[in-house]
Amino acid sequence: MSVFPKISLRPEVTEHLRTIFLNKELLVAVGHHEAEHRFQKLLACLSHPPSHTCVRASTHLAPLEEIRHRLEEELKKQQMCSSSSEEVSLQILPHPRLPDVLLLPVDGPRPVKQLSSEVVVGAQCGTAVLRGAHVFAPGILASPKYMKVGDVISVFSDLEGKCTRGALSFQGKTAYLGNGVAEMDRSSIFCTDEPVRGVGVRMTEPLYQSPSFDGVLPNLVFLQNLPSVVVGHVLGPQPGERILDMCAAPGGKTCHIAALMGDQGEVVALERIRNKIDRIRQNAQTLNLRCIKTYCFNSTQAVSSDLNQETEGPPFPPESFDRVLLDAPCSGLGQRPNMASTWSLKEICSYQPLQRKLFHAAVRLLKKGGVLVYSTCTVTLAENEEQVAWALDAFPCLTLQPQEPHIGVEGMLGAGLSPEQLRLLQRFSPELSWEQTDPTTTPLPCRADGDTIGFFIAKFLKN
């Protein structure tokens, strides 16, 4: 059910996306009316959260059923300690095709009444609240002048990034997220020289109800979008292999690869931005994974010209890795929920050259007979199917491979790929299933497979 406006984009970005989703190949296949309908549904569903919370279980540490049972107990404790008097039914289901995934339905939108006292939070904080988080103090931009601990308040998200931190009120464009109880006074949030930390508002009546996983079984469960978990399985890591994750932060996929290998072998994680390296290491330590080696390095320069290099870190000699994951930097237009983006068309279109530089390095670093998986969390053709068409032309040694599991849809028309090639690609297109499945009759795993973030996966073999 649509309760928020369609994602707010710059007009030139909206028009650019329209030309993608109404390209000539698609218009011939489905017609103008259906293509326009899908495009409008995409803009609508991007501003809403998926219908489920996906949790990747640490099955390298404990059986799935044991983790499911312990998670159920922890979330029941959380319910009992909650200040909300509302009883929420708890459902935790295993995914039928992903042996390390648990799914929890999201209840929403719910009939929650807006209050007169309001707090405004930033867009990133608002996104987290819609996915089950409480409001952490750094995300609060505006609050009533005399807000004190225990006040019941409504929470709104600033849609255009125009609210000034410390404001008493805000008249700009917002979206209502639900109600909560203040855990801090206004003065504790804004009138301090020290960086503010901790929960500022505890959500008691969220518009979308899902559990908060803050501090819940950190070594056994890891919040991750469903397509991101699929990527690790498609890569197919095996114990004893040497695997490269080229753009590794924050480390969710890196850790998944290591877990699928049973922590046997070596996973090399490269990340260009230094302050993100600690997050990867922290996740690996929390999940008891020791085979991960992290380096702060630009992956476009990860190929060494010294074939006799003896140092273990980057750059690496050609053909150093059995498998390579290139989860490429991208425009991120598949992320949900995302109510607004202020990016220019130039910024949206800036990623293709970088992705191709990374692709060149990935192919050179991959052993013959090795597997390369390319993925993005965006919906554009230029960063997805067009990159596949380019790669197949630029690297005759690469061939597309079937993906397992394949729970998304095939690739999108518009890049000149053959039907056979499109069938080997995997695109998660939430607009194709959003608002079309009845939650009362459709099993959660079936809904979860379609109602995801927008995502793309291609798998190649180096011959």
Side-chain angles (χ1 to χ4, degrees):
M1 176 182 169
S2 182
V3 290
F4 301 128
K6 293 172 183 175
I7 182 173
S8 174
L9 303 167
R10 291 190 179 187
E12 66 271 21
V13 173
T14 301
E15 193 52 41
H16 173 68
L17 287 177
R18 177 179 272 107
T19 62
I20 293 169
F21 281 82
L22 276 74
N23 70 71
K24 290 180 180 178
E25 284 187 63
L26 256 178
L27 290 178
V28 169
V30 304
H32 189 280
H33 177 78
E34 176 60 22
E36 179 68 32
H37 179 62
R38 290 181 184 180
F39 175 60
Q40 295 301 328
K41 281 183 66 178
L42 173 70
L43 298 181
C45 76
L46 286 177
S47 63
H48 293 73
S51 60
H52 63 279
T53 297
C54 176
V55 176
R56 177 166 58 77
S58 299
T59 51
H60 64 291
L61 298 178
L64 183 69
E65 184 53 33
E66 180 184 326
I67 295 172
R68 192 197 71 78
H69 178 68
R70 290 184 60 182
L71 178 59
E72 187 175 43
E73 288 185 331
E74 287 294 316
L75 294 181
K76 281 180 178 176
K77 286 181 194 173
Q78 185 186 100
Q79 267 188 21
M80 291 171 66
C81 296
S82 170
S83 55
S84 171
S85 58
E86 198 174 346
E87 182 69 28
V88 181
S89 62
L90 198 59
Q91 190 180 17
I92 306 175
L93 299 174
H95 192 283
R97 295 183 62 187
L98 295 168
D100 51 2
V101 165
L102 295 170
L103 298 169
L104 294 83
V106 172
D107 178 20
R110 302 157 72 239
V112 183
K113 186 179 179 181
Q114 296 183 22
L115 308 173
S116 58
S117 188
E118 300 177 1
V119 159
V120 179
V121 302
Q124 190 173 359
C125 178
T127 294
V129 170
L130 287 173
R131 298 300 295 262
H134 296 297
V135 177
F136 282 78
I140 298 176
L141 301 177
S143 76
K145 186 175 183 178
Y146 300 108
M147 185 178 81
K148 60 185 183 300
V149 174
D151 285 356
V152 181
I153 45 184
S154 286
V155 179
F156 293 80
S157 178
D158 173 16
L159 293 183
E160 298 178 319
K162 294 182 178 179
C163 183
T164 305
R165 179 168 171 79
L168 296 173
S169 62
F170 179 61
Q171 302 305 316
K173 204 172 178 182
T174 60
Y176 174 57
L177 307 178
N179 302 331
V181 176
E183 297 278 310
M184 295 182 180
D185 298 337
R186 175 185 167 85
S187 59
S188 301
I189 297 170
F190 298 120
C191 305
T192 174
D193 295 330
E194 297 296 319
V196 62
R197 301 179 186 278
V199 173
V201 178
R202 189 165 300 279
M203 298 300 294
T204 54
E205 292 182 299
L207 192 65
Y208 283 84
Q209 177 89 55
S210 54
S212 169
F213 280 82
D214 184 35
V216 175
L217 302 178
N219 66 325
L220 291 180
V221 297
F222 190 93
L223 281 178
Q224 198 165 15
N225 286 304
L226 186 72
S228 298
V229 183
V230 172
V231 166
H233 288 284
V234 168
L235 185 66
Q238 301 299 314
E241 290 183 332
R242 192 179 192 213
I243 297 178
L244 174 64
D245 186 352
M246 296 185 74
C247 307
K253 298 180 185 70
T254 308
C255 292
H256 190 206
I257 292 167
L260 290 172
M261 296 166 68
D263 206 24
Q264 299 173 41
E266 180 179 283
V267 181
V268 174
L270 301 185
E271 174 52 49
R272 183 176 60 86
I273 301 173
R274 183 166 297 280
N275 62 12
K276 292 184 177 182
I277 289 290
D278 288 342
R279 179 81 182 275
I280 302 171
R281 290 174 176 155
Q282 182 182 6
N283 281 330
Q285 185 176 3
T286 300
L287 297 170
N288 295 337
L289 295 165
R290 297 175 180 83
C291 72
I292 297 171
K293 295 182 179 178
T294 57
Y295 301 95
C296 183
F297 201 82
N298 184 345
S299 285
T300 63
Q301 301 166 11
V303 187
S304 172
S305 55
D306 181 5
L307 300 180
N308 299 314
Q309 177 180 321
E310 294 184 3
T311 56
E312 69 169 10
F316 303 102
E319 301 187 3
S320 289
F321 296 94
D322 299 290
R323 298 174 199 264
V324 174
L325 172 61
L326 174 49
D327 184 49
C330 69
S331 57
L333 288 171
Q335 292 289 5
R336 296 174 61 197
N338 183 10
M339 296 186 194
S341 172
T342 58
W343 281 22
S344 67
L345 181 58
K346 184 178 179 181
E347 289 172 306
I348 294 291
C349 297
S350 67
Y351 287 92
Q352 193 185 68
L354 171 61
Q355 291 162 352
R356 292 187 178 183
K357 286 181 182 178
L358 290 164
F359 220 110
H360 273 283
V363 174
R364 291 186 64 194
L365 288 169
L366 186 63
K367 294 178 181 178
K368 290 183 178 68
V371 168
L372 165 62
V373 168
Y374 172 81
S375 62
T376 74
C377 58
T378 194
V379 298
T380 69
L381 277 172
E383 298 172 80
N384 295 329
E385 288 83 358
E386 285 182 16
Q387 295 292 52
V388 170
W390 164 81
L392 293 173
D393 183 60
F395 306 103
C397 60
L398 294 183
T399 54
L400 283 173
Q401 296 296 298
Q403 300 184 34
E404 180 54 44
H406 195 297
I407 61 179
V409 298
E410 63 184 36
M412 191 166 83
L413 290 162
L417 295 169
S418 70
E420 292 75 18
Q421 290 170 326
L422 290 174
R423 280 193 287 272
L424 292 171
L425 304 177
Q426 183 164 199
R427 197 182 246 263
F428 290 83
S429 301
E431 72 277 5
L432 297 181
S433 63
W434 195 63
E435 291 191 329
Q436 288 190 336
T437 54
D438 182 352
T440 62
T441 58
T442 308
L444 177 61
C446 297
R447 280 184 283 137
D449 289 350
D451 191 10
T452 65
I453 63 170
F455 206 86
F456 177 83
I457 309 173
K459 181 179 182 179
F460 301 88
L461 181 70
K462 184 176 178 180
N463 298 312

